[in-house]
Amino acid sequence: MSSGLIADLQPVEAASALVRKLGALCLMSEEEIAFMEGLQNNVLEAEKGQDFIEDGADFRTTFVVLNGWAIRYCLLPSGRRQILSYALPGDILGLHVNFRAKATYSAAALTRVRLAAVDPRRMLEISQKYPILAAGLSWCTAREFAILGDQAVRLGRLGAQQRLAHLLLELWHRLELIGKNEGDLLDMPMTQTDLADTLGLSLVHINRSLMGLRKKGLVTLHRDSIRLNNIDALSAMAEFNPEHLAEFSI
Amino acid sequence: MSSGLIADLQPVEAASALVRKLGALCLMSEEEIAFMEGLQNNVLEAEKGQDFIEDGADFRTTFVVLNGWAIRYCLLPSGRRQILSYALPGDILGLHVNFRAKATYSAAALTRVRLAAVDPRRMLEISQKYPILAAGLSWCTAREFAILGDQAVRLGRLGAQQRLAHLLLELWHRLELIGKNEGDLLDMPMTQTDLADTLGLSLVHINRSLMGLRKKGLVTLHRDSIRLNNIDALSAMAEFNPEHLAEFSI
DNA sequence: CGGCCAATTGATTAAACTCAATCTGCGTGG
DNA sequence: CCACGCAGATTGAGTTTAATCAATTGGCCG
């Protein structure tokens, strides 16, 4: 990934996940980096399980995930829940809240989460002052669409084991970009109930599908993580297309 | 919807669907309207069935649908197809193509379609020159996310008849905003195979689910259209939330 | 040591898929 | 004008996948 000489010389360990993510895409000036870091000064914390965006409620704040995981989800009148996507460090929730006064989804902390609350008008400011950053945010938007599109593909056209493998691969690739994987070991803060509500399956069936992947030797289950033993085989069986998350463009 | 006195006095029949859509959201100046109309001067036509965006291919053009319907879809290696969303007149495809050089989905004409091809740099120009329009486009983006989120809800957590009813209601509300419905009669240019690939079901099951809705008296089927006999009952049974497509904000 | 949340397992039911025909409306060529 | 062909819609029958109901187990924290 970031094996350019110059990149290796820069001290990046202090950068926020968002700046790291954008930095993987384009070369930012010191001023641009400083502006993006400055955006993330207003820090909130959400406890595990706590909602911080509510479907139908007024919604006039943009959030940047600093660390921890969150979920975007919808609750139906019947009580069923559909998780739409996972928000990982560096992800932005509510980048496009301007006119629409009401949220169209809820968001909750999956782990304890640190969030930066940003006035959406400052995001508009970016478009005017920092064209490179604006293009970077536009790329983030396109990527979110691709991720949600892949979620629809999983739900609509994959079998249970495929859905699981496909989701695991998506999360692995996304965490890889922000440097949060340890080799093929994937952090798994979500419960099997969460997986069921993500993949449109029942809890029981998720459990059996996980067992199926384990018995095939494709994954090894641990307490709060999962090892992807054969990423190529998993990608093939899940019909996973990593280009949708392409980490390099230009 | 648009029952303001001033709006009623304006001659809007010549406006493009995109301008009508944005006009339902915010009051645009003559200059802004002229700019948006000017954007759509480079017109292409796609025949029914013709692809005009291909997953994985270079993608550096933004398209505005002028009339007709298109689909966004993904093809899997197994040959299965998942339709992600329908693009109706006034919808924008590839608003966020800037950095990402490759498309993450394909798009095809569902009917004969007239498209405006726009240089994405002109979209960036909007952010700098026309803040109202920029906010309007941002709203379009948020709406696209809500539509795709609803698609995930359908696929993940609704039964077959619910999925159908939910999709019909979405399309009806979206067409209503651009003034393309005749009462409760909904245009239906897609085949049952298309519906199957949209809703993650088999062709046979789509047919039986449509029959089910018909037998309940909720819809009346015609050749190329469908009548929604009881929108309230349909909304209730499909757990449909029209607020996700909210036609008025501010 | 309980109590609780999450994971696991078994047994049965229900939803949706597949395979295989058949039917229908419509355009085309004879 | 009609037979033919084709795409799309419809129906039947049997199979598969996943849901539901119902316990049971395992770990962890107070």
Side-chain angles (χ1 to χ4, degrees):
Chain A
M1 239 52 64
S2 61
S3 55
L5 284 180
I6 295 174
D8 286 346
L9 291 175
Q10 287 177 340
V12 290
E13 62 284 341
S16 68
L18 177 54
V19 166
R20 276 207 305 281
K21 191 163 85 164
L22 291 174
L25 173 72
C26 54
L27 190 59
M28 293 181 281
S29 70
E30 291 297 324
E31 183 189 349
E32 286 162 339
I33 292 174
F35 183 87
M36 286 310 285
E37 297 290 7
L39 268 188
Q40 303 174 61
N41 278 338
N42 183 16
V43 177
L44 308 175
E45 282 217 346
E47 292 306 315
K48 184 177 187 167
Q50 193 182 338
D51 280 304
F52 58 94
I53 298 174
E54 278 180 274
D55 191 0
D58 269 10
F59 183 33
R60 297 188 183 276
T61 308
T62 299
F63 294 101
V64 180
V65 178
L66 300 177
N67 60 42
W69 290 31
I71 51 174
R72 289 198 310 121
Y73 70 97
C74 285
L75 273 185
L76 295 175
S78 63
R80 313 194 87 175
R81 179 177 66 150
Q82 178 63 50
I83 293 177
L84 302 175
S85 66
Y86 291 86
L88 309 179
D91 285 345
I92 302 172
L93 293 161
L95 181 50
H96 303 278
V97 298
N98 314 285
F99 265 90
R100 172 180 289 282
K102 311 281 184 195
T104 59
Y105 54 84
S106 300
L110 193 63
T111 65
R112 167 188 278 258
V113 152
R114 284 202 321 136
L115 300 164
V118 185
D119 185 327
R121 281 168 293 195
R122 297 197 67 188
M123 305 309 269
L124 285 181
E125 209 183 313
I126 292 178
S127 317
Q128 284 153 11
K129 287 195 196 168
Y130 303 103
I132 298 287
L133 293 181
L137 292 179
S138 179
W139 173 78
C140 289
T141 302
R143 199 163 185 264
E144 292 294 324
F145 270 113
I147 289 169
L148 196 45
D150 271 6
Q151 167 74 344
V153 169
R154 277 193 286 268
L155 291 168
R157 284 299 181 224
L158 298 185
Q161 291 188 18
Q162 286 183 301
R163 291 186 207 187
L164 262 171
H166 199 283
L167 176 64
L168 297 177
L169 287 164
E170 174 198 303
L171 293 171
W172 186 85
H173 278 274
R174 289 172 61 191
L175 289 167
E176 194 70 8
L177 179 65
I178 54 172
K180 298 252 185 195
N181 281 329
E182 294 163 25
D184 50 11
L185 195 66
L186 172 67
D187 218 27
M188 286 286 281
M190 68 283 254
T191 66
Q192 293 187 7
T193 299
D194 294 326
L195 286 173
D197 288 344
T198 305
L199 298 176
L201 299 165
S202 70
L203 168 60
V204 172
H205 203 60
I206 283 288
N207 186 275
R208 292 185 169 132
S209 304
L210 269 174
M211 293 300 155
L213 290 181
R214 190 179 60 65
K215 275 184 190 126
K216 287 179 182 167
L218 292 169
V219 303
T220 308
L221 305 173
H222 299 101
R223 171 146 317 289
D224 293 313
S225 64
I226 191 168
R227 184 172 300 282
L228 310 186
N229 294 322
N230 189 336
I231 289 186
D232 288 345
L234 274 173
S235 301
M237 74 87 74
E239 308 191 55
F240 180 77
N241 182 350
E243 304 228 327
H244 288 179
L245 298 169
E247 275 123 32
F248 24 74
S249 306
I250 291 192
Chain B
M1 237 54 66
S2 61
S3 54
L5 283 179
I6 296 174
D8 286 347
L9 291 173
Q10 288 177 340
V12 290
E13 62 285 344
S16 67
L18 177 55
V19 165
R20 278 207 306 280
K21 191 163 87 163
L22 291 174
L25 173 71
C26 55
L27 190 60
M28 292 181 283
S29 70
E30 292 297 326
E31 183 187 350
E32 286 162 340
I33 292 174
F35 183 86
M36 287 309 286
E37 296 290 9
L39 269 188
Q40 303 173 61
N41 278 339
N42 184 17
V43 177
L44 309 175
E45 282 216 347
E47 292 306 314
K48 184 177 187 169
Q50 191 182 339
D51 280 304
F52 57 92
I53 298 174
E54 278 179 274
D55 191 359
D58 268 11
F59 182 33
R60 299 188 181 275
T61 308
T62 300
F63 294 100
V64 180
V65 179
L66 300 177
N67 59 42
W69 290 30
I71 51 173
R72 290 199 309 121
Y73 70 96
C74 284
L75 273 185
L76 295 175
S78 64
R80 312 194 85 177
R81 178 178 68 149
Q82 178 62 50
I83 294 177
L84 302 175
S85 65
Y86 292 86
L88 310 179
D91 286 345
I92 303 172
L93 292 161
L95 181 49
H96 302 277
V97 299
N98 313 285
F99 264 90
R100 171 179 291 282
K102 310 282 184 195
T104 59
Y105 54 84
S106 300
L110 194 62
T111 65
R112 169 187 275 258
V113 152
R114 284 202 320 138
L115 299 164
V118 185
D119 186 326
R121 282 168 292 195
R122 296 196 67 188
M123 305 310 269
L124 287 180
E125 208 182 314
I126 292 179
S127 316
Q128 284 153 13
K129 287 195 196 167
Y130 303 102
I132 298 287
L133 293 181
L137 292 179
S138 179
W139 173 79
C140 289
T141 302
R143 199 162 183 265
E144 292 294 325
F145 269 113
I147 288 169
L148 196 46
D150 271 7
Q151 167 75 342
V153 168
R154 277 193 287 268
L155 291 169
R157 283 301 182 223
L158 297 185
Q161 290 189 20
Q162 287 183 301
R163 290 186 208 187
L164 261 171
H166 199 282
L167 176 65
L168 297 178
L169 288 164
E170 175 199 302
L171 293 171
W172 187 84
H173 279 273
R174 289 172 61 191
L175 288 168
E176 194 69 10
L177 178 65
I178 54 172
K180 298 255 184 192
N181 281 329
E182 294 163 26
D184 50 10
L185 195 64
L186 173 66
D187 217 27
M188 286 285 283
M190 69 283 254
T191 66
Q192 293 188 6
T193 299
D194 295 325
L195 285 173
D197 288 343
T198 306
L199 297 175
L201 298 166
S202 69
L203 167 61
V204 171
H205 204 58
I206 283 287
N207 186 275
R208 292 188 167 127
S209 304
L210 269 174
M211 293 300 155
L213 290 181
R214 190 177 60 65
K215 276 186 189 125
K216 287 178 182 167
L218 291 169
V219 303
T220 308
L221 304 174
H222 298 102
R223 169 148 319 289
D224 292 314
S225 65
I226 189 167
R227 185 172 300 281
L228 310 185
N229 294 322
N230 188 336
I231 289 186
D232 288 345
L234 273 173
S235 302
M237 74 86 74
E239 309 191 53
F240 180 76
N241 183 352
E243 305 229 326
H244 287 179
L245 298 170
E247 275 125 32
F248 25 75
S249 306
I250 292 192

